[in-house]
Amino acid sequence: MGTYLYAITAAGHPLRLSGISGVGEPAAQLRTVRTKDLCAVVSDAPPQLRAKRRDVAAHQDVQDRLLADGAALPMRFGLVGTDDAQVATVLEQDRDSYLQRLEEVDGCREYHLKVARDEDDLLREIMRESAEVRRLNDRTRENPGAYDDKVALGELISQEVEARHERARSNIVARLAGTAVRTADVEPTKRHFLSVSFLVEREKAAAFSEAVHEEAGQRGDTYDFSLHGPLPPYSFV
């Protein structure tokens, strides 16, 4: 059957888990696997577990309850160990690492920021600022059969797009990092050139959100800022 993992806490965590249950149908009963310094909140792993809404919500509810009372390292949905003994062995083997991470995330939540830019606006900027792009563009318009020029134009535009995205990424993260404990890059989507998570202390959450709002306002309507949080600190576990 296996042991399903929800989160890891310090041994002294209050672990107020009454009234909530785990994943599966019927809902699994929560229990703990303990070592001297750590505790894993677990349940029996249901067969053929899938990311159904009810199970994802149950997984999140356990983590939210734990995080309300102290530091917890949230596990990703669907993480299953062989049995309780294996979980205990891993807690002992990686004790120092888990304790360090618990200290880092204590009192913090994760905020995930994604930023996209209007492609037409970016291309107009490149055309306006790059004399070489304008030259190649004029040549391909005058001579539609100029294959080498078309290839060179496409490669140059691609390089310009990536360079400008990278510059914007660095600038945005640098300006927001001052209100965060740590940052963690997340793989960008096709639409978003920036996807990054920030670990933010609870008392600084309002200041962080305001900093994101100000950054979005300064960049204007051609940028699309999407901020999600507060979230369990998945990216920092």
Side-chain angles (χ1 to χ4, degrees):
M1 179 177 292
T3 297
Y4 186 96
L5 283 85
Y6 299 86
I8 295 172
T9 72
H13 193 286
L15 297 171
R16 294 187 308 109
L17 298 173
S18 61
I20 58 173
S21 54
V23 298
E25 186 62 44
Q29 183 175 354
L30 299 174
R31 63 178 184 273
T32 59
V33 175
R34 294 177 175 271
T35 62
K36 178 182 177 182
D37 299 301
L38 295 167
C39 176
V41 177
V42 305
S43 71
D44 288 341
Q48 299 179 337
L49 178 67
R50 296 191 178 99
K52 297 179 181 178
R53 180 179 300 178
R54 187 264 165 209
D55 288 329
V56 173
H59 183 87
Q60 180 88 44
D61 287 346
V62 174
Q63 295 176 345
D64 288 343
R65 175 69 66 84
L66 293 169
L67 286 165
D69 290 332
L73 303 180
M75 301 293 105
R76 297 285 184 182
F77 179 86
L79 183 62
V80 177
T82 303
D83 52 30
D84 288 11
Q86 187 214 20
V87 173
T89 297
V90 172
L91 292 180
E92 283 291 353
Q93 288 177 344
D94 295 332
R95 169 190 172 278
D96 292 344
S97 176
Y98 285 135
L99 289 174
Q100 179 181 349
R101 290 171 188 269
L102 281 166
E103 184 177 355
E104 289 176 352
V105 304
D106 190 15
C108 298
R109 291 294 185 273
E110 177 174 335
Y111 289 80
H112 183 67
L113 176 65
K114 294 189 290 187
V115 182
R117 184 177 179 183
D118 182 80
E119 291 183 3
D120 291 339
D121 179 72
L122 178 56
L123 291 175
R124 285 193 294 269
E125 178 185 286
I126 292 171
M127 185 70 70
R128 184 173 61 250
E129 296 181 357
S130 173
E132 182 63 11
V133 168
R134 292 196 302 273
R135 184 186 72 81
L136 287 171
N137 185 62
D138 290 342
R139 290 188 61 173
T140 58
R141 292 177 63 183
E142 295 167 359
N143 183 8
Y147 175 77
D148 290 344
D149 286 338
K150 287 183 178 180
V151 172
L153 177 61
E155 291 177 347
L156 181 57
I157 289 176
S158 179
Q159 293 169 5
E160 287 284 346
V161 167
E162 180 54 36
R164 290 161 196 266
H165 279 168
E166 179 57 37
R167 188 158 58 245
R169 273 194 294 266
S170 298
N171 290 341
I172 292 171
V173 172
R175 280 195 279 267
L176 297 177
T179 51
V181 177
R182 285 177 56 197
T183 64
D185 289 334
V186 181
E187 188 68 25
T189 67
K190 288 185 177 181
R191 179 171 179 264
H192 300 93
F193 70 85
L194 182 148
S195 184
V196 62
S197 286
F198 296 84
L199 187 65
V200 180
E201 296 174 350
R202 286 179 182 173
E203 59 267 28
K204 294 183 179 179
F208 175 77
S209 297
E210 181 61 26
V212 173
H213 180 74
E214 291 179 359
E215 182 70 21
Q218 291 175 5
R219 291 185 176 270
D221 294 338
T222 60
Y223 284 80
D224 179 23
F225 280 63
S226 178
L227 182 64
H228 301 275
L231 303 167
Y234 290 113
S235 300
F236 303 93
V237 176

